[in-house]
């Protein structure tokens, strides 16, 4: 600010130049001078905490997207590459993963504060609704991001999630196919989830954050629920600003500590045939997961559609239902106890889900084994090189190599040395040989097999010199 203002507080020439063209300085002033009824409080830090977390997700997400390739061939390998090879890759991936979970926690605190303090009252209906949309979009981010690593955990959890969607009457099957890009989950599913995760939903989030902040500034801070004297209002800067920054600092420290001391594991790649795999969603989806267990068969519609729609509609329409001007939680017993009921049920469902898993020996054993598999996989070194990762995008073979492959077959090399020269019991591997032997050495060996090769039944190559060169070119292309 200093270069924009003079010591006496008036604008410098640079400041005036910028202000006249953009108005950004007076906007900035009005933001930091925003008066908060009743003064700054720690209870108000959650909104800016969320902004901080969303920014963190954006930055770490861009870093991950530099390496990630969304296809069944490369998704898992690129994530393994990020986790095991890239400098700080595991740390950044872990911050992104823990950050997403932390958003759920802080979002909940923000929502609880707004709801319990009645901060949605006083012409703030659209502000609340934009928040509800943000809530849904965040859950969408969590759901679409979970699949991307394409490990066992991701695949089977998302299979369950999309199957549940398929149970919705009328539109369900269509939705499920739309999301999966077909009946099965594969590359199309990955690319759809990826596009949703990095383009569609983030755009929605950016737009709704803008709307949310715009409406918030229009309505002004709600202040504490109890009536406060007008004179107790204080500006946002410096105390509320310091609290917000302090909270963001705490969140950052927690994220760094978690990512450093408990890096997020990556499991083995998807193996669709592992029928024994028991899928489990992220912890914050567990209550929903448990809830769905109770609604199998013909009653599924009630559990999957009717009750969630009613609960959600109540939640979305809170400011239209709870219309009184009273904001104190103790005077709004119905609202407060409903809130406590919903939170209590969610906790109970989550707890029951854990208990079900623990009480069934088979399930708990399998889950423990799955975790062990993940730890094992994490201990193994990264195998493929990054060029292998992109090998699926290889150019089609040239005519020369195709001709060489033809000779490899017609001269019967393939019978002893195997398809692609990988080697069989009868003869050794030829792939990779070209890096050890020169063209002259190779043609000598093929024209005049040594005694050992003869003993193995290898005939001398009788074709033309041109064919021999074509054949060797083919051998050189084998890695
Ligand atoms: C009947 C089986 C058989 C056939 C057919 C055959 N090979 Fe072989 N080849 C062998 C055996 C066995 C050896 C290894 C002998 C040893 O060193 O133990 C060998 C070795 C070689 C080697 C040397 C490998 C090394 O590591 O030094 C080359 C090169 C080779 N074969 C090329 C060919 C080509 C090209 C053809 C087709 C024109 C062919 N072979 C057909 C059995 C066969």
């Amino acid at each position: 600010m200093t270069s924009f203002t003079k010591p006496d507080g008036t604008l410098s020439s640079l400041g005036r130049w910028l202000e006249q063209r953009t108005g950004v300085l007076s906007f900035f002033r009005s933001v930091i001078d925003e008066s908060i009824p009743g003064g700054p409080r720690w209870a108000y830090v959650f909104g800016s905490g969320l902004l901080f977390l969303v920014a963190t997700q954006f930055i770490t997400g861009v870093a991950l997207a530099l390496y990630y390739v969304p296809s069944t061939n490369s998704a898992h390998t690129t994530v393994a590459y990020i986790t095991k090879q890239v400098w700080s890759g595991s740390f950044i991936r872990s911050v992104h993963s823990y950050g997403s979970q932390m958003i759920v926690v802080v979002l909940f605190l923000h929502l609880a504060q707004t709801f319990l303090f009645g901060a949605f009252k006083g012409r703030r209906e659209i502000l609340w609704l934009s928040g509800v949309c943000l809530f849904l979009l965040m859950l969408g981010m969590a759901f679409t991001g979970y699949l991307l690593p394409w490990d066992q955990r991701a695949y089977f959890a998302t299979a369950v999630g999309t199957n549940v969607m398929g149970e919705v009457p009328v539109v369900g099957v269509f939705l499920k196919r739309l999301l999966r890009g077909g009946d099965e989950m594969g590359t199309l599913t990955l690319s759809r989830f990826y596009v949703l995760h990095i383009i569609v939903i983030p755009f929605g989030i950016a737009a709704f954050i803008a709307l949310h902040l715009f409406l918030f500034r229009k309505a002004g801070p709600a202040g504490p629920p109890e009536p406060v004297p007008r004179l107790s209002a204080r500006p946002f800067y410096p105390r509320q600003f310091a609290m917000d920054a302090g909270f963001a600092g705490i969140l950052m420290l927690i994220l760094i500590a978690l990512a450093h001391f408990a890096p997020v594991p990556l499991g083995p790649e998807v193996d669709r045939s592992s029928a024994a795999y028991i899928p489990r969603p992220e912890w914050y989806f567990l209550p929903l997961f448990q809830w769905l267990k109770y609604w199998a068969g013909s009653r599924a519609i009630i559990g999957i559609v009717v009750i969630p729609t009613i609960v959600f509609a109540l939640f979305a329409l809170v400011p239209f239902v709870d219309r009184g001007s009273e904001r104190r939680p103790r005077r709004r017993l119905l609202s407060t106890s409903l809130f406590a009921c919903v939170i209590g049920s969610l906790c109970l469902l989550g707890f029951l889900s854990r208990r079900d898993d623990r009480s069934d020996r088979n399930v708990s054993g399998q889950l423990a084994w799955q975790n062990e598999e993940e730890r094992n996989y994490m201990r193994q070194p990264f195998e493929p090189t990054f060029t292998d990762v992109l090998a699926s995008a290889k150019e089609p073979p040239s005519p020369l190599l195709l001709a060489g492959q033809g000779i490899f077959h017609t001269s019967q090399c393939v019978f002893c040395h195997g398809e692609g020269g990988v080697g069989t019991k009868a003869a050794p591997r030829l792939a990779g040989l070209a890096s050890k032997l020169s063209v002259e050495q190779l043609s000598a060996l093929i024209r005049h097999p040594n005694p050992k090769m003869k003993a193995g039944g290898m005939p001398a190559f009788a074709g033309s010199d041109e064919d021999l060169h074509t054949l060797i070119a083919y051998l050189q292309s084998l890695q």
Side-chain angles (χ1 to χ4, degrees), residues 407-408 411-417 426-430 433 437 442 445-446 450 452-459 461 471 475:
I407 298 170
F408 190 71
S411 307
Q412 321 211 317
C413 322
V414 66
F415 294 132
C416 297
H417 291 284
R429 182 180 170 85
L430 297 182
L433 198 64
L437 300 180
L442 273 175
L445 275 174
I446 295 170
N450 65 27
K452 253 178 138 185
M453 291 154 75
K454 278 195 193 129
M458 176 162 160
F461 181 71
L471 178 61
L475 291 182

Side-chain angles (χ1 to χ4, degrees), residues 167 290-304:
E167 302 274 319
Q290 179 72 8
W291 167 259
L292 294 174
K293 282 194 204 163
Y294 303 121
W295 302 94
S298 57
R299 293 179 310 155
I301 301 185
I302 306 176
I304 297 179

Side-chain angles (χ1 to χ4, degrees), residues 211-247:
L211 178 66
H212 201 65
L213 292 182
F214 172 77
L215 295 173
F216 168 71
R217 289 194 40 76
K218 195 162 167 62
E226 61 276 1
V228 285
R230 267 181 161 274
L231 288 177
S232 66
R234 292 279 175 280
F236 172 76
Y237 189 85
R239 287 210 38 219
Q240 187 65 51
F241 178 80
M243 288 178 181
D244 285 8
F247 183 63

Side-chain angles (χ1 to χ4, degrees), residues 318-338:
V318 154
F320 301 96
V321 178
D322 186 354
R323 292 205 62 86
S325 58
E326 178 61 69
R327 288 183 47 203
R328 280 165 288 189
R330 259 174 302 150
R331 301 276 178 97
R332 292 159 51 230
L333 272 184
L334 183 62
S335 296
T336 322
S337 35
L338 256 177

